[in-house]
Amino acid sequence: MAGTVVVGAGMGAMAAAARLAVAGRRVTVYERTDTHGGAVRRLERDGFGFDTGPGLLHLPAVWRDLFVKTGREPLEACVELAEVEPAVEHVLADGTVVRLPGGSRGGTVDALDAALGAGSGERWSALLGRARVAWEATRRPLLEEPLVSAADPGPPARDPYPARRPGLLRRRAPALAAAARAELRDPRLVALLEGCVLSYGLDPRRAPASAAVLPYLEQTFGTWYVAGGMRALADAVHRRCLERGVEFRFGAQVSGIVVEDGRAAGLELADGSRVAADAVVCGADPRPMYGDRVAGADGGPGYAVGRLTVLLALRGGRPEGTAHRTVVHASAPGGPVCTVTVLRPGDPALVPDGAHESAVLSVVVPPHRAGAGRPDGLSGAGARAWDGGPVDWTAPGAAERAADEALAAVDAAGLGLGGRLLWREVRTPADTERETGAPGGAVPAPALAGAGGAFLRAANLTRTAGLYRAGGSAHPGGGLAHAGMSGALVAGLVVEGDDWRGSR
């Protein structure tokens, strides 16, 4: 047998590779860069360390399952995993501070009542109760079953978010923002909900009401951190692949898929050589590779947003009681355009000593395209992320100006990071594009039900037999948990056949 080849060494691709190897396949991974992990990278300088991709983990059960199914050592024997508490601190535009616990409905109700007034917690809980209905209706088709045709998305095309009262959703299911305003009735509560959805790269004015499953999942299953940073998880998955016999070819640029008699038969590399295969798993963004051979390759609205991250090396230790994650809701009329997420892990592995602190600011921004024009300030960039188009993040001063505004917004909220700054590094979608190959440095969001299937990602099965898709740009979408599930789904299709629909 020629074996199975995997394009890319991102998290979803490695999850597929490890499972395929355990199933007896001979697996070789071809990665254009010199390392594994895709966007899950780490920057080190002067004794400081930073996650340059995702910094937190939701639904760790996905990765626990991978480690159970591929070896004797469980996930916790390979990485140190801890639940973040509080799960998040919100600093609203009016200065109100709300700290929400993880995995506790009662604790969340109490926290909201204390911060926003009696009854706030129950309204929030009622909305997430309806989100639970949507989650139970979509958990299997959106997370545990492969998507085999983007042209025929099936039940997830319908929004299962239930009506608050008869007639509310009778004619047309509302977007999340409209449902939140109608049900929460307090702009501060609405901001909390929208801030969560924004952090996934989704515009709440357009995302279906079923997007409420995202804060529901965080509240129900908690938010988790891997000691040493999320790169430690990527390293552990890579080691598991090696232990199961997966071979890696780094610095190997794949230029195309070899198709013979209508079936994927291998890869063509940039040096002109060819690699034979009996199955091909593409874990990279499909468009540079085989574009129109995959229906829905663009992945629906909300796909093409990027992230600006500002890595801060700070003098002075992390103050006691500092939240790991703080969301700053900056004032920005006209839409949800300026929410800054601040990660302050307090991990001794990420600082030279106890007299220093590392922090990462993250903002949703438009993707990159050379020559597209520079962003008009941070708020303007945020607006273009939803209503405009890409910008040129390599334009002189563009990245630094946006970073200045993000840091100013954080300091205006009372975090006081600017006065402690030793140095910073600014990373834009242009950097993401260079490192991962994703066009424009776009960061895909999780797949959602509703909107006629517009928020589904590209199908795991392609129009070419023997060619499969895994990773964040494929079903079930972006985020560490969803990427990990894509690997599990594709491995099931390859091993069990294209009619496999998940373990029952």
Side-chain angles (χ1 to χ4, degrees):
M1 293 179 65
T4 301
V5 295
V6 178
V7 181
M11 298 298 285
M14 290 197 295
R19 291 176 182 271
L20 288 168
V22 168
R25 297 271 173 158
R26 183 165 61 86
V27 183
T28 305
V29 177
Y30 290 83
E31 166 59 46
R32 70 180 187 90
T33 71
D34 60 358
T35 190
H36 58 272
V40 184
R41 298 193 176 212
R42 177 183 173 107
L43 184 143
E44 296 182 346
R45 174 181 162 188
D46 299 340
F48 290 88
F50 305 90
D51 282 322
T52 61
L56 293 171
L57 177 64
H58 304 295
L59 292 176
V62 171
W63 295 101
R64 290 191 178 109
D65 182 72
L66 172 74
F67 278 77
V68 166
K69 299 289 178 57
T70 61
R72 295 180 179 177
E73 288 186 317
L75 175 63
E76 281 81 358
C78 301
V79 298
E80 183 181 341
L81 196 62
E83 187 170 5
V84 174
E85 186 60 44
V88 60
E89 176 182 84
H90 290 269
V91 183
L92 301 176
D94 65 358
T96 302
V97 177
V98 184
R99 283 195 168 199
L100 299 181
S104 171
R105 174 190 174 278
T108 298
V109 169
D110 291 344
L112 290 172
D113 281 350
L116 304 180
S120 299
E122 282 304 321
R123 291 198 301 277
W124 177 269
S125 184
L127 186 146
L128 291 198
R130 288 183 282 278
R132 177 182 178 178
V133 174
W135 165 248
E136 290 174 346
T138 61
R139 175 182 58 82
R140 184 163 184 83
L142 275 186
L143 199 63
E144 299 175 357
E145 293 180 346
L147 184 63
V148 297
S149 172
D152 182 20
R158 299 187 297 272
D159 191 339
Y161 185 83
R164 178 172 63 92
R165 61 181 183 272
L168 177 64
L169 306 184
R170 184 171 296 165
R171 294 185 177 180
R172 181 179 182 183
L176 178 75
R181 288 194 301 271
E183 298 182 27
L184 296 175
R185 305 194 306 276
D186 182 333
R188 298 171 300 174
L189 280 175
V190 173
L192 297 185
L193 190 74
E194 291 188 346
C196 179
V197 173
L198 281 165
S199 70
Y200 288 88
L202 292 161
D203 182 354
R205 298 170 300 171
R206 295 180 175 86
S210 65
V213 300
L214 299 173
Y216 166 77
L217 292 178
E218 290 193 15
Q219 178 175 297
T220 304
F221 300 107
T223 300
W224 299 78
Y225 175 71
V226 177
M230 215 52 61
R231 179 65 183 183
L233 177 61
D235 291 342
V237 176
H238 178 241
R239 285 194 302 271
R240 180 55 55 91
C241 286
L242 294 176
E243 291 165 0
R244 298 299 166 260
V246 177
E247 297 183 30
F248 287 81
R249 300 283 186 267
F250 293 107
Q253 174 74 53
V254 176
S255 57
I257 309 297
V258 176
V259 178
E260 296 177 354
D261 298 325
R263 182 176 182 85
L267 306 177
E268 181 174 320
L269 304 183
D271 62 8
S273 63
R274 289 193 171 190
V275 177
D278 54 28
V280 176
V281 176
C282 186
D285 189 286
R287 290 168 289 177
M289 191 71 55
Y290 49 90
D292 61 2
R293 287 212 290 272
V294 178
D298 286 338
Y303 183 96
V305 297
R307 296 187 192 278
L308 174 89
T309 54
V310 188
L311 316 179
L312 304 178
L314 304 172
R315 62 173 63 87
R318 181 175 182 262
E320 185 176 354
T322 296
H324 188 125
R325 175 175 54 155
T326 299
V327 178
V328 174
H329 300 256
S331 179
V337 296
C338 192
T339 302
V340 184
T341 299
V342 186
L343 297 183
R344 302 171 70 180
D347 187 339
L350 304 182
V351 291
D353 52 49
H356 296 86
E357 184 185 3
S358 66
V360 178
L361 314 184
S362 177
V363 187
V364 173
V365 296
H368 168 70
R369 188 173 68 204
R374 57 185 293 164
D376 181 21
L378 188 59
S379 294
R384 288 191 66 178
W386 312 118
D387 302 317
V391 301
D392 186 351
W393 284 105
T394 63
E400 292 299 326
R401 179 183 176 188
D404 287 343
E405 293 190 26
L407 185 55
V410 165
D411 282 348
L415 274 66
L417 302 183
R420 299 170 53 201
L421 188 64
L422 288 171
W423 51 263
R424 75 183 189 190
E425 292 209 15
V426 183
R427 298 175 56 82
T428 72
D431 299 302
T432 305
E433 181 179 60
R434 184 184 67 255
E435 291 183 353
T436 69
V443 180
L448 294 175
F455 285 81
L456 299 179
R457 300 305 167 203
N460 304 115
L461 281 179
T462 74
R463 293 172 176 172
T464 303
L467 178 60
Y468 306 86
R469 298 221 35 250
S473 56
H475 178 78
L480 284 169
H482 290 72
M485 276 307 302
S486 78
L489 298 177
V490 165
L493 289 169
V494 174
V495 173
E496 303 295 338
D498 290 356
D499 59 349
W500 178 78
R501 293 299 177 267
S503 301
R504 297 287 177 178

